[in-house]
Amino acid sequence: MFERFPNQWTPVLPLTAITANPMPVELAGEALVLFKDRDDQWHALRDYCPHRGAKLSLGVVTDEGHLRCGYHGWRFNGEGACQAVPLNCLNDAALKKVRATALPTRLIAGAIWVYTAADPDNANAPEPLLSESLQGDPNLFVTYHQEWQAHWTRAQENFIDFAHPPYLHEQTIGAWMHDYAERGGTARVETEDTEFGLIMMSYVGSSTSGFQLHWHRPNLSILHFGPVAERWLHVFCIPVNEHHTRVMTVRRVRSADEVARHARYASGTDHRILDEDRAIVESQSGDVLSDPAEISVATDKPTLVFRDWYRATLADYITP
Ligand code: FES
Ligand SMILES: [Fe+2]
């Protein structure tokens, strides 16, 4: 599974987008079903019943918190173990052999996260390497999301790209740099490799822009607009399939009272800025490796670091 996005922790859906239990969702080209058991724990299974291949998301969650297939009523727990095969008296040994494919799942920062195990039967998932700013009570995060018709790597590069705001965001967040760039001003970026990915510092002329950006492998960009985590914008580029990406912003808030106000802000401001990005990114085709003739310059350094990581990650799983 997940041969184009193997062995990564990623959010799949914000809680606010979950409208059913069980909930079908596509992640990196794989059909999954999310469901919540009676202890309010979330689980993800491949949306495929091992009996006759029906979609498990067409079933129901039973009072015991098991997912019951809508076709013949086979029941699975959150680990994928079959709990019952109605009308047939299977002994324990036979029942134990029946399994749906389960993936490690967590509730983090207002979203359901899944580990994209390339070999789910032998998954030895590491714990997610989480930015501290995403830890804590999952109810104290505000999410906003959009669906883009683009490959996730194109979307991801957009958020670690320092040279586009003066033009693409000329009317909004890039206004301050537009005239400077048009007058022939220069900018540069410096990157630092870290345990989680990279840190980018940017300079306009000879002074720092005051803006710092972190890329956390595989698909999180954190835009630092100030010293405290409540001023940071987290942006995830979640691969839906080869042609679609779910772009999700996440903000941490201090208390539950602030959630509604920040949600209004996100659906206004984030929506407007992301729409500017979306229009351009949707005009690019394929993934970031699809055109080897693309020309890169010094301010493209962070995206080149990302490309190196992406190329290496795929190389381990895809035979050319
Ligand atoms: S297909 Fe699911 S129980 Fe038969
Ligand atoms: Fe942008």
Side-chain angles (χ1 to χ4, degrees), residues 215-231:
W215 166 57
H216 289 246
R217 289 183 297 267
N219 59 349
L220 166 62
S221 311
I222 307 182
L223 286 60
H224 292 68
F225 293 109
V228 295
E230 283 74 15
R231 303 270 337 258

Side-chain angles (χ1 to χ4, degrees), residues 49-54 56 69-74 76:
C49 178
H51 179 216
R52 287 293 181 265
L56 288 171
C69 181
Y71 203 174
H72 309 95
W74 292 23
F76 302 91

